[in-house]
Amino acid sequence: MKGPRSNGEPRDTSSSTVQGPSTSTPNTKPSRPQIVEGTHSGNPPRLEQPSPHEIIDVDAFYDDGPPPERFSGPSLSSKVSVNKVEPSMLVSATVITPIASYPDLGVDPPLFDISAVPLADDKAIPYSFLAHTLFTLSTTRSRNIITNSLTNALRTICAVHEPSLMPSLYLLSNSISPPYLSLELGLGHSIISKAIQNVSGLTPAALKRLYNQKGDPGDVAFEAKANVRTLLPHAPLSIVGVYQSLLKIATAKGEGSVKHKQSIVEKLLVSAKGEEIRFLVRTLAQHIRVGAVRTTILTALARAMALTPPRAVKVRQRPFYASPPLLTRVTNAESTKGKKDVDASRVELEAIYDAAEGLVKQVFVQHPSYDDIVVGLLAKGLDGLAESVPLTLGIPLHPTLGSPMRSLDDVYERLGNLPFAAEFKYDGQRAQVHAWKDATGQIFFKLFSRHLEDMTDKYPDIKVLVQHVFASSPETASFIIDGEIVAVDAKDGSLKSFQELSNRARKAVELHEVTITVCLFAFDLMYLDGKTLLEVPFRQRRQMLRSRFPPIALDRPGAARFDHVESVECSGSDADKEAVEEFWIRAVESRCEGLMIKVLDSGEIVEVSGPRSEKTRRKPLPATYEPDKRTSAWLKLKKDYVTGLGDSFDLVPVGTWHGIGRKTAWWSPVLLALRDPDSGAMVALCKCMSGFSDGFYKQMKEKYAEDSDNCSRQPLWGEIEGGYRPAVYFRPHEVWEVRGADITLSPVSVAAKGMVSDRGLSLRFPRFMKVRDDKSIEQASTPTFLASVYRKQQGKDQSGADDGQLLDPESSDEAEEEEESG
């Protein structure tokens, strides 16, 4: 090492610079910072001593040629018998490099000594350090310890080897690229299992026993390799090296790609040691099982930059950085506990944290790319981050979300006298349209889904629509529009069902292949002609959208339509409220889901400080566009509110039982779960057996076939919280919309336990509505939302607590008829 590093003291090495991203050519795909992997003299974490009886030659792996069925001896080229191998020829995995001891990462960041971490400056950081971080995260549910551990890890990585920072963020977030790049590992369960089998030498039967015993793929790999010893030492894995290997796996295409992917996985497993094995395989299986969600990672990144700025950043007196004197005062907290200056220093540090976190999160939701954010941070630090990583054409921003309401009366109570617009909530696919033309007049077009996935190739008819917009409006140079794509009748434009829309092809669609006409109903404008409109009140954004982009109905086969959402305005008068009531009735009777209520002008609302408190406070309510926020300025009122619960739930199928009677060949009932946004865990809520057609049962049985990559007898994708124990477990990867009669206390479910009662909550008489292809599991309903709906339902006639068991429709003719009608 080059000498000790102080606790958070910034380095003024201005000779080292990193070029920030260019914003002059928005049509260019964001580039990744150059990664140069250096050598490393650091040490891996401690390993268990392997058993001497298992001798596996891991040096026999080659890119060309299939791997042998079982490695039971030395190198294939040496033709040496296992019986002739001398013990002195073997190199135990524990003696390849000296054993390292990484310090506790969970301490308060100002007290963490980066110089105590045994890493060499400017050398690629070993993957063992990241595995140590992940291990720390997996052993606690404390939000403070998780945040501290991530903060200290990222500080260390940035201080020692800046090129390792971006790969670390992706590996910690269980991804390899921004969602809009559509870069996926594409590793099935079988590839990972075969790689583990080949590296460990276990028979398929032995490996299956391990899976049945352990369940988790990472734990299986850890146990499987415990007895492996190698003939030659292998270089330790680095964070950069692992990330580059994952990129190679994701980009492997065509003939032989499966074999190539498996070869890469095997090479990683050969070099992995100790906890590296466990978390490497969990990463490959895309389920690392730690409580580090996106918000926490961004919080830690912001704090890391505030405490330990990058080398090229010259720190001035700005609100984003903690000065060395301040950190010194904070570190003396224990010895001077109780003094006012210590309290003041902590308050000052928290204010710096808040400023840094707010900045990083704001930049991320407008430009969700760790690649570009890391480049901006390393080049200009927190001070210049917003300028160097702005909202950019061709890169989706997170959409604004609506808060659910039960009735129009609740809407009036919430908003008071603030004027609002009530819009039809169409039953389609949320879409974010990016379009621009360069100096030569060439047009560029991108279309993104609600969860930021690129779906440009799915809608060539909307591309034609965009080209028409530019042709008919020469003054328009660029725009970003928020809207809903809805299936419509090609002749009269009348609305069709979401199921019609879902029947369209999903990838690489040619214009002549379009058979289902769609209309893009626009409801917001976030960017126009080089200017960001996020801070502009909704009334002005709405007026600009309607004046600059009139409705379009092209007279050509397969052409998409363009229109504005149908809406009415309300200023609070009785006449306006009556118009809104009539509009609501029209929404209920149409194919719409309900209404969206949007505040037109910024103002204030009155909030009660607690559920049983008579104290109130006035809270500002901006009418700006708030990416990734579920704000009171946008309220959703769905037709489901008319009867039963005030809202449907977006739930994740996580398991099932074998059907009985008529359903013997199918899965029934299905276990549905909420998602805890803090831990990322699935929280079992209820069993569902109503609303499914026979056709859907057959599709579900095919999608979740036993022993497939989507179905297992063990919870391979993480423990399911709660008392439910299904016969098989599903890979959580899709979202179902479900309605129920009401929410009750349950002795089995732990959903929202402690939020409203010491018992969990469950959904009574759940009924499947549809698959939400437009949502990812990260957008599933949460325990907090469940608790809020339960509180709102209080005062209604309750039907008693849920006993955790549901009657199968086979024993009820009435229930059977209800199911068949669905």
Side-chain angles (χ1 to χ4, degrees):
M1 298 177 65
K2 294 184 179 180
R5 293 179 288 273
S6 63
N7 292 359
E9 185 173 352
R11 310 186 190 197
D12 186 7
T13 54
S14 55
S15 59
S16 175
T17 61
V18 180
Q19 182 64 41
S22 172
T23 58
S24 60
T25 56
N27 58 308
T28 303
K29 184 178 290 186
S31 59
R32 297 185 179 278
Q34 183 66 31
I35 301 176
V36 180
E37 182 178 359
T39 58
H40 170 63
S41 58
N43 308 313
R46 185 177 299 274
L47 301 171
E48 296 294 332
Q49 183 67 28
S51 171
H53 64 76
E54 185 74 48
I55 303 174
I56 307 298
D57 175 29
V58 292
D59 302 300
F61 298 128
Y62 297 96
D63 282 338
D64 51 350
E69 294 182 0
R70 176 180 175 89
F71 295 99
S72 56
S75 170
L76 297 179
S77 60
S78 65
K79 307 295 184 181
V80 180
S81 168
V82 176
N83 296 329
K84 295 183 179 180
V85 178
E86 298 294 333
S88 60
M89 297 172 61
L90 297 174
V91 180
S92 169
T94 56
V95 296
I96 291 177
T97 52
I99 295 174
S101 178
Y102 292 121
D104 179 15
L105 295 173
V107 301
D108 191 13
L111 308 180
F112 183 75
D113 183 8
I114 295 178
S115 65
V117 184
L119 300 173
D121 274 347
D122 296 323
K123 302 297 182 182
I125 296 179
Y127 181 70
S128 60
F129 179 69
L130 194 68
H132 171 69
T133 304
L134 292 169
F135 177 80
T136 303
L137 299 177
S138 68
T139 56
T140 181
R141 301 193 68 173
S142 166
R143 183 55 45 198
N144 286 336
I145 294 178
I146 289 174
T147 303
N148 291 346
S149 300
L150 284 170
T151 300
N152 292 325
L154 295 177
R155 290 175 62 201
T156 302
I157 291 168
C158 185
V160 174
H161 188 245
E162 291 180 350
S164 294
L165 181 59
M166 185 270 290
S168 297
L169 290 171
Y170 279 116
L171 293 175
L172 287 168
S173 63
N174 205 25
S175 61
I176 57 175
S177 73
Y180 54 85
L181 293 185
S182 302
L183 198 60
E184 298 179 354
L185 284 178
L187 282 177
H189 175 69
S190 59
I191 293 179
I192 298 174
S193 294
K194 288 179 182 177
I196 295 173
Q197 180 185 336
N198 288 340
V199 170
S200 65
L202 293 178
T203 64
L207 189 63
K208 187 172 183 178
R209 285 195 297 271
L210 262 183
Y211 269 108
N212 291 335
Q213 179 185 359
K214 300 295 181 180
D216 177 76
D219 296 342
V220 169
F222 183 88
E223 292 294 330
K225 204 188 169 192
N227 295 330
V228 174
R229 307 176 75 187
T230 64
L231 294 174
L232 297 173
H234 292 270
L237 295 173
S238 69
I239 293 175
V240 170
V242 169
Y243 180 70
Q244 289 176 334
S245 295
L246 297 184
L247 291 180
K248 291 178 181 178
I249 292 173
T251 54
K253 306 295 181 183
E255 186 177 355
S257 60
V258 173
K259 175 179 148 184
H260 182 55
K261 290 180 179 182
Q262 183 175 324
S263 174
I264 296 174
V265 173
E266 289 174 357
K267 288 184 177 181
L268 289 171
L269 289 175
V270 164
S271 298
K273 307 168 185 68
E275 290 299 328
E276 292 179 316
I277 303 169
R278 194 189 314 273
F279 290 103
L280 175 64
V281 172
R282 288 181 182 177
T283 296
L284 294 171
Q286 296 183 293
H287 191 76
I288 55 176
R289 296 178 61 186
V290 298
V293 294
R294 186 191 75 209
T295 302
T296 309
I297 292 175
L298 293 174
T299 296
L301 178 63
R303 294 185 180 187
M305 295 298 104
L307 295 170
T308 310
R311 305 178 186 187
V313 176
K314 291 184 177 181
V315 178
R316 300 179 178 87
Q317 293 299 321
R318 299 292 178 90
F320 301 122
Y321 300 106
S323 65
L326 172 61
L327 293 178
T328 299
R329 294 200 303 272
V330 173
T331 56
N332 294 330
E334 291 301 320
S335 59
T336 58
K337 192 173 183 180
K339 293 186 178 180
K340 293 183 179 180
D341 60 333
V342 174
D343 294 337
S345 67
R346 176 61 67 172
V347 170
E348 183 179 349
L349 180 61
E350 292 295 332
I352 292 171
Y353 281 168
D354 290 343
E357 292 166 23
L359 171 69
V360 171
K361 291 176 182 178
Q362 181 183 30
V363 169
F364 185 88
V365 296
Q366 296 183 28
H367 192 120
S369 168
Y370 286 130
D371 305 56
D372 296 343
I373 287 177
V374 167
V375 170
L377 286 171
L378 297 181
K380 298 184 179 180
L382 292 166
D383 301 281
L385 182 62
E387 179 182 357
S388 59
V389 190
L391 185 152
T392 304
L393 288 162
I395 297 179
L397 62 153
H398 284 264
T400 295
L401 305 173
S403 300
M405 301 296 289
R406 289 184 60 85
S407 68
L408 281 172
D409 288 339
D410 287 348
V411 171
Y412 298 140
E413 183 179 354
R414 172 71 66 89
L415 298 183
N417 294 321
L418 288 179
F420 65 82
E423 302 175 344
F424 274 170
K425 188 180 190 304
Y426 295 102
D427 191 10
Q429 183 171 24
R430 184 85 173 261
Q432 191 178 124
V433 184
H434 291 233
W436 66 97
K437 58 184 179 181
D438 60 15
T440 67
Q442 184 178 1
I443 295 173
F444 301 90
F445 163 70
K446 283 289 184 181
L447 190 65
F448 301 102
S449 69
R450 171 175 173 163
H451 45 282
L452 314 186
E453 292 180 348
D454 189 339
M455 55 180 186
T456 306
D457 292 342
K458 182 179 178 180
Y459 292 101
D461 41 347
I462 294 184
K463 180 178 181 179
V464 173
L465 195 67
V466 167
Q467 292 171 339
H468 180 81
V469 169
F470 282 114
S472 59
S473 178
E475 72 276 13
T476 300
S478 58
F479 59 84
I480 300 177
I481 286 177
D482 200 354
E484 191 89 1
I485 297 175
V486 184
V488 297
D489 186 275
K491 295 180 180 180
D492 57 14
S494 58
L495 303 180
K496 291 191 173 183
S497 67
F498 179 81
Q499 283 68 28
E500 291 274 357
L501 181 65
S502 64
N503 287 333
R504 282 182 57 128
R506 298 175 183 273
K507 295 182 179 179
V509 180
E510 298 293 337
L511 187 60
H512 67 271
E513 298 173 340
V514 174
T515 58
I516 299 174
T517 303
V518 299
C519 180
L520 173 63
F521 288 98
F523 52 72
D524 216 324
L525 182 66
M526 297 95 84
Y527 186 94
L528 181 64
D529 297 338
K531 295 182 180 179
T532 301
L533 305 178
L534 302 186
E535 298 300 318
V536 176
F538 179 57
R539 185 188 295 274
Q540 294 175 241
R541 301 199 310 272
R542 187 166 175 257
Q543 189 277 328
M544 295 171 70
L545 173 66
R546 298 191 170 209
S547 62
R548 289 291 297 272
F549 301 93
I552 300 172
L554 300 177
D555 185 17
R556 64 181 69 171
R561 294 168 174 250
F562 177 84
D563 207 344
H564 306 120
V565 295
E566 191 170 351
S567 65
V568 296
E569 292 187 21
C570 180
S571 61
S573 67
D574 291 341
D576 284 351
K577 289 183 178 181
E578 184 177 344
V580 172
E581 293 281 355
E582 293 177 355
F583 193 64
W584 163 245
I585 294 174
R586 284 183 54 203
V588 170
E589 295 175 347
S590 71
R591 289 187 179 271
C592 295
E593 290 186 317
L595 298 182
M596 289 297 301
I597 309 296
K598 299 179 182 179
V599 172
L600 289 167
D601 307 301
S602 298
E604 289 184 336
I605 57 174
V606 177
E607 282 193 345
V608 179
S609 58
R612 298 184 179 179
S613 174
E614 296 181 356
K615 296 182 179 179
T616 60
R617 61 173 181 172
R618 301 193 69 85
K619 178 182 177 181
L621 185 63
T624 52
Y625 192 93
E626 301 291 332
D628 204 36
K629 287 187 179 179
R630 198 173 291 279
T631 169
S632 291
W634 282 28
L635 305 174
K636 62 178 180 179
L637 183 64
K638 299 175 71 174
K639 64 172 63 177
D640 297 344
Y641 302 175
V642 178
T643 58
L645 284 175
D647 198 8
S648 59
F649 290 84
D650 294 323
L651 304 178
V652 180
V654 294
T656 190
W657 289 261
H658 295 280
I660 60 175
R662 189 177 67 86
K663 302 178 184 177
T664 302
W666 300 329
W667 295 131
S668 179
V670 178
L671 180 61
L672 302 176
L674 304 162
R675 183 178 182 274
D676 186 336
D678 292 330
S679 66
M682 292 295 157
V683 185
L685 175 65
C686 62
K687 301 175 183 178
C688 180
M689 61 182 69
S690 182
F692 303 116
S693 65
D694 287 1
F696 187 86
Y697 273 123
K698 293 176 182 178
Q699 293 175 5
M700 179 167 56
K701 189 67 174 181
E702 293 173 358
K703 182 185 298 184
Y704 295 100
E706 287 193 78
D707 296 326
S708 69
D709 290 343
N710 290 331
C711 185
S712 171
R713 293 189 177 277
Q714 300 294 328
L716 301 182
W717 305 278
E719 292 294 330
I720 308 299
E721 296 184 2
Y724 298 96
R725 293 294 178 265
V728 296
Y729 293 84
F730 289 168
R731 177 173 71 88
H733 71 289
E734 65 176 351
V735 176
W736 293 357
E737 183 177 346
V738 176
R739 286 182 59 190
D742 55 21
I743 302 171
T744 61
L745 299 176
S746 170
V748 180
S749 171
V750 297
K753 185 176 182 179
M755 295 184 181
V756 295
S757 170
D758 58 357
R759 301 171 71 183
L761 300 177
S762 186
L763 191 61
R764 292 184 71 247
F765 304 121
R767 184 176 182 82
F768 169 80
M769 303 301 294
K770 64 183 178 182
V771 177
R772 292 302 301 263
D773 290 323
D774 61 325
K775 289 192 174 185
S776 64
I777 62 172
E778 286 75 18
Q779 295 166 314
S781 297
T782 65
T784 301
F785 175 64
L786 176 70
S788 69
V789 176
Y790 178 80
R791 294 189 190 100
K792 291 177 182 178
Q793 106 178 354
Q794 297 310 294
K796 296 174 61 179
D797 180 29
Q798 301 300 305
S799 302
D802 178 14
D803 63 0
Q805 300 294 326
L806 292 178
L807 186 67
D808 193 282
E810 282 293 320
S811 60
S812 171
D813 293 337
E814 181 180 350
E816 185 68 30
E817 290 174 3
E818 178 188 45
E819 184 169 10
E820 291 295 330
S821 65

